[in-house]
Amino acid sequence: MSSAVSAPSASARITALDVLDVRFPTSEHLDGSDAMNPEPDYSAAYVILRTDAGDGLEGHALAFTTGRGNDVQAAAIAALAPHVVGLSVEEVCGDLGAFSRSLVHDPQLRWLGPEKGAIHMATGAVVNAAWDLAAKRAGKPVWRFLGEMPPEELVAQVDFRWLSDALTPEDALDILCRAEPGRQERTARLLERGYPAYTTTPGWLGYSDEKLARLAREAVAAGFTQIKLKVGASLEDDVRRMQVARETVGAGIRIAVDANQRWDVQDAIDWVRALAPYQPYWIEEPTSPDDILGHAAVRKAVGPIKVATGEHIANRVVFKQLLQAGAVDIVQIDSARVGGVNENIAILLLASKFGVPVCPHAGGVGLCEMVQHLSMFDYVAVSGTAENRVIEYVDHLHEHFTDPVRIADGHYLAPELPGLSAQMHPESLKEYAYPDGPVWTARV
Amino acid sequence: MSSAVSAPSASARITALDVLDVRFPTSEHLDGSDAMNPEPDYSAAYVILRTDAGDGLEGHALAFTTGRGNDVQAAAIAALAPHVVGLSVEEVCGDLGAFSRSLVHDPQLRWLGPEKGAIHMATGAVVNAAWDLAAKRAGKPVWRFLGEMPPEELVAQVDFRWLSDALTPEDALDILCRAEPGRQERTARLLERGYPAYTTTPGWLGYSDEKLARLAREAVAAGFTQIKLKVGASLEDDVRRMQVARETVGAGIRIAVDANQRWDVQDAIDWVRALAPYQPYWIEEPTSPDDILGHAAVRKAVGPIKVATGEHIANRVVFKQLLQAGAVDIVQIDSARVGGVNENIAILLLASKFGVPVCPHAGGVGLCEMVQHLSMFDYVAVSGTAENRVIEYVDHLHEHFTDPVRIADGHYLAPELPGLSAQMHPESLKEYAYPDGPVWTARV
């Protein structure tokens, strides 16, 4: 594969799929600690798609992990390289639906899933890197690139396999066409005010009550109308922390709680009921992310407290069932768990069909940067509303990104630079390279 | 970690976890071809646990893949090595429940699942290798090692997390105690007659009608009372092949059909109804393995034709829901998909609790060798019956194993050598090593 920089753009090829193992030693402070993730080292299996188009553009994206296993994730991404390197840039960027399906349905690689775990997250990272490249070529941030696509072209992004009992291409087209008339007006409003956010910063399990109260006060002062507390390690502690939080923020601020899968079904019901006097807004990940029927049982028992899940939901088929079973009040998409932008379009359409609001999971490394594009696209062109919808915000590691999220008055401001906002500074990629970067060699 | 061979056994340690990438070029003949796997190269990410016990015993097991991605699977297994190397052999073999939980619940590696995909299959391979080692140390085949364990010790093997709404430790103990009185009698019967098998050999998609008919005749002559046909690529072809098969074997032989996830829910219903005149016994994998509600809908529509699934079911939580939702008539455990022997004990107990027969998936590389132990254990100590239960048999690649399955009169004969029967000949491991073994270098 030649990498001549003067090749005419129409015949440009993808010349390389680079994969980098990048890890941040976040376990040193208890940022990011919860009932199932006591000591995460937030990490990225980072992808760069390079071309010989000579336009200086690259596709950047990442799969997020919590440390150990980031090398396995990188190996899974590398396994996709033979399907990508050598392809025409025009063809990939011109039909990202076909590109994503070609990765998802490799008949040998799919044995490692199918459509779940490391191989599916790898697909998501590569697909997202292709969206970054395509949007950069179009000179638009991804939310706008998507938000200006004709409904028919959006429908073509979706893999409807296994969805047709809940969502057909006709349903999808109908949803998108209904939202089309208001696109311009909503785009203008978005550019003006941004998209509502909530913050998890006050609520990590490792924090003292004093730190929790201080950070909660700061969150409200900064304009957030919702905060989130991690729960699930000790009921006594959780009741106390919830009380501290409620007394600090008052009745008008929503407090979500997040158990990170810690409970069996009955445990979840009992625990949430014990927290009910302090009005939790939603209970997030009460039990196994695979347990559709379990979530339905919890929801039935704890209403009007809402049930939310999604950051570990493997694919659109599980989201479909959560909606069919009436198991969730809130769909929490994640930019780096499923098969990339394409599968998340499917999930946004499913949520819209069932009338369930989408409040994305974010945090980690670059998840805020990437997922804001999906919520903003949802607002502009799918659900057409931001009511009762908030994107998670965590103030970790944004300094490593070239186009970091911008928060003002409790809102994500709409990204203006072209692409998916997942690109990291070259110095960060070098410094935190694992195991050979200076940050890690200094630790040994 | 020293590897002194004269160390006293009580202080022996696990000194190495070796991982080998072994691939068989099965795509050259259309053996193993189905609607979703047109050209598989049956492969194993192969594990060897070595110790310094000086007794010459090693733990062997494998994760099965279909070719590309076997390196990713091997990387996932290697990521577990730091959790295993250095452990006391006594402690691991003396509490395999604790050992398996320690791998499943690593708080960083679980992000790659949780409990699904490459990282969970890796856990399964390592856990199975530990069972192989433990059974060899006890001088028993695994089915017998398990079948002679006290009920309380068997309950301790199970991770009940996320199961308690369907199966509690008390339920499990009750099931095992009820089956205890007949253990010896059933063991004797098993040693005498073996365990019923069915064969998939006649039914691969790539075969001509003539080959299908010839192999079906041979299967019946060899004592099999059930065969299986792959379906799902072309309805016209499937109707014709089903007719050929039914005319060949007559009314008294069961013919299962297997769509390997090819359909959406309504497609599955329509297709199975078109095959109904030829009395398929079960429809296997009609749709996505994640689609619990979809399987329930198919089952409701196609009864009395049975619905079977399991080879791609990621874990016990999904099996739990398939049973809770009344979505399956047949539970198809797989020895190398979930977290090893321990999680399969949980699934056998769940199936027994719900009164649903277990008919394992096998084939691939070594899957027959390993899974026979689980069905035989189920017969001896869990369900206590082999009625309407059959283990899949495929006559591929057994020659590479040191204790290959033995089939007589349509039955698996009970393994007699100690261990899990997953050990391959050293020459096979060398010859089919990928990409450097002579079989592969000769192909380049």
Side-chain angles (χ1 to χ4, degrees):
Chain A
M1 195 49 46
S2 134
S3 59
V5 286
S6 57
S9 173
S11 68
R13 301 267 155 191
I14 294 174
T15 53
L17 189 166
D18 292 350
V19 192
L20 309 175
D21 185 338
V22 183
R23 306 191 192 189
F24 298 91
T26 47
S27 62
E28 286 179 7
H29 315 280
L30 290 173
D31 305 338
S33 62
D34 64 48
M36 296 291 264
N37 305 287
E39 297 178 301
D41 284 329
Y42 283 0
S43 302
Y46 191 91
V47 179
I48 307 175
L49 290 180
R50 302 185 194 276
T51 82
D52 59 7
D55 53 11
L57 300 179
E58 301 166 341
H60 288 239
L62 59 88
F64 169 64
T65 80
T66 58
R68 285 188 294 279
N70 204 48
D71 50 336
V72 178
Q73 190 54 54
I77 292 170
L80 295 170
H83 291 317
V84 177
V85 176
L87 295 182
S88 152
V89 175
E90 286 282 306
E91 283 176 25
V92 167
C93 295
D95 192 349
L96 288 156
F99 176 67
S100 85
R101 286 189 289 275
S102 76
L103 300 184
V104 169
H105 296 303
D106 176 89
Q108 295 187 357
L109 289 172
R110 75 184 295 283
W111 192 270
L112 302 187
E115 301 192 37
K116 57 179 65 70
I119 197 68
H120 201 46
M121 289 161 67
T123 297
V126 174
V127 166
N128 283 343
W131 278 93
D132 182 58
L133 179 63
K136 284 172 177 167
R137 285 165 55 93
K140 296 174 190 169
V142 164
W143 69 267
R144 195 153 193 167
F145 184 54
L146 284 169
E148 294 176 359
M149 250 182 209
E152 294 74 12
E153 198 178 338
L154 287 168
V155 172
Q157 303 306 322
V158 174
D159 186 354
F160 287 92
R161 170 165 279 184
W162 299 328
L163 290 189
S164 63
D165 54 329
L167 180 81
T168 63
E170 295 71 33
D171 295 336
L173 190 63
D174 186 48
I175 291 166
L176 293 162
C177 287
R178 264 186 287 133
E180 211 182 6
R183 283 186 182 192
Q184 279 194 324
E185 190 196 323
R186 287 190 296 272
T187 299
R189 214 177 309 158
L190 191 59
L191 288 167
E192 198 183 306
R193 301 195 315 201
Y195 194 102
Y198 77 93
T199 174
T200 305
T201 296
W204 300 106
L205 273 191
Y207 291 175
S208 69
D209 290 0
E210 291 66 34
K211 189 167 181 181
L212 160 61
R214 175 171 58 79
L215 293 172
R217 258 192 309 275
E218 290 175 10
V220 174
F224 292 101
T225 55
Q226 179 176 328
I227 63 170
K228 189 166 80 184
L229 261 56
K230 297 292 185 174
V231 296
S234 150
L235 179 57
E236 196 187 342
D237 287 352
D238 288 348
V239 169
R240 195 191 64 250
R241 293 167 63 245
M242 190 70 197
Q243 187 173 6
V244 167
R246 179 55 73 203
E247 284 170 2
T248 303
V249 302
I253 298 292
R254 288 176 174 170
I255 306 176
V257 296
D258 180 356
N260 291 89
Q261 316 166 21
R262 185 60 184 264
W263 303 314
D264 280 26
V265 171
Q266 191 58 47
D267 302 332
I269 293 168
D270 296 343
W271 203 293
V272 173
R273 284 184 177 157
L275 298 177
Y278 309 101
Q279 293 108 44
Y281 179 60
W282 75 51
I283 171 64
E284 177 170 335
E285 288 205 302
T287 189
S288 163
D290 301 322
D291 201 344
I292 295 144
L293 302 179
H295 280 83
V298 172
R299 180 169 180 250
K300 206 172 158 192
V302 306
I305 297 166
K306 297 179 189 300
V307 171
T309 195
E311 73 182 86
H312 283 86
I313 299 297
N315 56 49
R316 69 197 177 286
V317 177
V318 184
F319 276 110
K320 176 187 78 169
Q321 294 173 86
L322 286 166
L323 292 163
Q324 288 174 317
V328 289
D329 299 281
I330 308 281
V331 163
Q332 299 182 300
I333 58 168
D334 181 286
S335 56
R337 171 70 62 184
V338 300
V341 168
N342 299 77
E343 190 162 20
N344 268 317
I345 296 173
I347 297 163
L348 292 174
L349 287 163
L350 280 165
S352 178
K353 170 94 187 283
F354 283 86
V356 172
V358 173
C359 299
H361 169 253
V365 180
L367 301 182
C368 301
E369 275 70 16
M370 293 191 284
V371 91
Q372 61 180 337
H373 291 274
L374 298 169
S375 275
M376 292 178 189
F377 158 63
D378 179 65
Y379 172 62
V380 170
V382 186
S383 73
T385 175
E387 206 175 331
N388 287 320
R389 285 154 171 86
V390 274
I391 306 172
E392 182 167 22
Y393 173 65
V394 186
D395 60 356
H396 292 162
L397 305 173
H398 302 293
E399 65 275 20
H400 300 291
F401 288 83
T402 59
D403 183 20
V405 293
R406 297 169 302 154
I407 300 286
D409 195 25
H411 286 64
Y412 277 80
L413 299 186
E416 291 167 4
L417 296 182
L420 189 59
S421 311
Q423 188 163 340
M424 288 172 66
H425 294 296
E427 313 83 66
S428 295
L429 294 173
K430 263 185 216 142
E431 201 157 331
Y432 293 89
Y434 186 90
D436 297 326
V439 166
W440 290 103
T441 52
R443 268 171 177 72
V444 178
Chain B
M1 195 48 47
S2 132
S3 60
V5 287
S6 57
S9 172
S11 67
R13 302 265 154 192
I14 295 174
T15 53
L17 189 166
D18 292 350
V19 192
L20 309 175
D21 185 338
V22 184
R23 307 190 192 189
F24 298 92
T26 47
S27 61
E28 288 179 6
H29 315 281
L30 290 173
D31 305 338
S33 62
D34 63 50
M36 295 290 264
N37 306 286
E39 295 179 303
D41 283 329
Y42 282 180
S43 301
Y46 190 89
V47 178
I48 307 176
L49 290 180
R50 301 185 194 277
T51 82
D52 58 7
D55 54 11
L57 300 179
E58 300 166 344
H60 289 239
L62 59 87
F64 169 65
T65 80
T66 57
R68 285 187 294 282
N70 204 49
D71 50 337
V72 178
Q73 190 55 54
I77 292 170
L80 295 170
H83 291 318
V84 176
V85 175
L87 296 181
S88 151
V89 175
E90 286 282 305
E91 283 175 25
V92 168
C93 294
D95 191 349
L96 288 156
F99 175 69
S100 85
R101 285 188 290 273
S102 76
L103 300 183
V104 169
H105 296 303
D106 175 89
Q108 296 186 356
L109 289 172
R110 75 184 294 283
W111 192 271
L112 302 186
E115 302 192 36
K116 57 179 65 69
I119 197 67
H120 202 47
M121 289 162 67
T123 297
V126 174
V127 165
N128 282 343
W131 278 94
D132 183 58
L133 179 62
K136 284 172 176 169
R137 284 165 56 92
K140 297 173 189 170
V142 163
W143 69 267
R144 194 152 193 167
F145 184 53
L146 284 169
E148 294 177 359
M149 249 182 212
E152 293 76 10
E153 199 177 337
L154 287 168
V155 172
Q157 304 306 322
V158 174
D159 185 353
F160 286 93
R161 170 166 278 184
W162 298 328
L163 290 189
S164 63
D165 55 328
L167 181 80
T168 64
E170 296 70 34
D171 294 337
L173 189 63
D174 186 50
I175 290 166
L176 293 162
C177 287
R178 265 188 285 134
E180 210 182 5
R183 284 185 180 191
Q184 279 196 325
E185 190 195 322
R186 287 191 295 272
T187 299
R189 215 176 308 156
L190 191 59
L191 288 167
E192 197 184 306
R193 301 196 313 202
Y195 193 102
Y198 78 93
T199 175
T200 305
T201 297
W204 300 107
L205 273 191
Y207 292 175
S208 68
D209 290 358
E210 291 66 35
K211 189 169 181 181
L212 161 61
R214 175 172 57 79
L215 293 172
R217 258 193 307 277
E218 290 174 10
V220 175
F224 292 101
T225 56
Q226 179 177 328
I227 64 171
K228 189 164 80 185
L229 260 57
K230 297 291 184 175
V231 297
S234 149
L235 179 58
E236 195 187 344
D237 286 353
D238 288 348
V239 170
R240 194 191 66 249
R241 292 167 63 245
M242 190 71 197
Q243 185 174 9
V244 166
R246 179 56 73 203
E247 283 171 2
T248 304
V249 301
I253 299 292
R254 288 174 175 172
I255 306 177
V257 297
D258 181 355
N260 292 88
Q261 316 164 23
R262 186 58 184 265
W263 303 313
D264 280 26
V265 171
Q266 191 57 48
D267 301 333
I269 293 168
D270 296 343
W271 204 294
V272 173
R273 283 183 177 156
L275 299 177
Y278 309 100
Q279 294 108 44
Y281 179 59
W282 76 50
I283 171 62
E284 178 171 334
E285 289 204 302
T287 188
S288 163
D290 301 321
D291 202 344
I292 295 145
L293 302 178
H295 280 84
V298 171
R299 181 169 179 249
K300 206 170 157 193
V302 306
I305 296 166
K306 297 179 190 299
V307 170
T309 194
E311 74 182 87
H312 283 85
I313 300 297
N315 57 49
R316 69 197 178 287
V317 177
V318 185
F319 276 111
K320 177 188 78 168
Q321 294 172 85
L322 286 165
L323 293 163
Q324 287 174 317
V328 290
D329 300 281
I330 308 280
V331 163
Q332 298 182 299
I333 58 169
D334 182 286
S335 56
R337 171 69 62 184
V338 300
V341 168
N342 299 77
E343 191 162 19
N344 268 317
I345 296 173
I347 298 163
L348 292 174
L349 287 163
L350 279 165
S352 178
K353 171 94 187 283
F354 284 85
V356 171
V358 173
C359 299
H361 169 253
V365 181
L367 301 181
C368 301
E369 275 70 16
M370 293 191 284
V371 89
Q372 62 181 334
H373 290 274
L374 298 170
S375 276
M376 291 178 189
F377 158 64
D378 179 65
Y379 172 63
V380 170
V382 186
S383 73
T385 174
E387 207 175 329
N388 286 321
R389 285 154 172 86
V390 275
I391 306 171
E392 182 167 22
Y393 173 66
V394 185
D395 61 356
H396 293 163
L397 306 172
H398 301 292
E399 64 276 21
H400 300 292
F401 289 83
T402 59
D403 184 21
V405 293
R406 298 168 303 154
I407 300 287
D409 195 25
H411 287 64
Y412 276 81
L413 299 185
E416 290 167 4
L417 296 182
L420 189 60
S421 311
Q423 187 163 342
M424 288 174 62
H425 294 296
E427 313 83 66
S428 295
L429 294 174
K430 262 186 217 142
E431 201 156 333
Y432 293 90
Y434 185 89
D436 297 326
V439 167
W440 290 104
T441 52
R443 269 172 177 71
V444 179

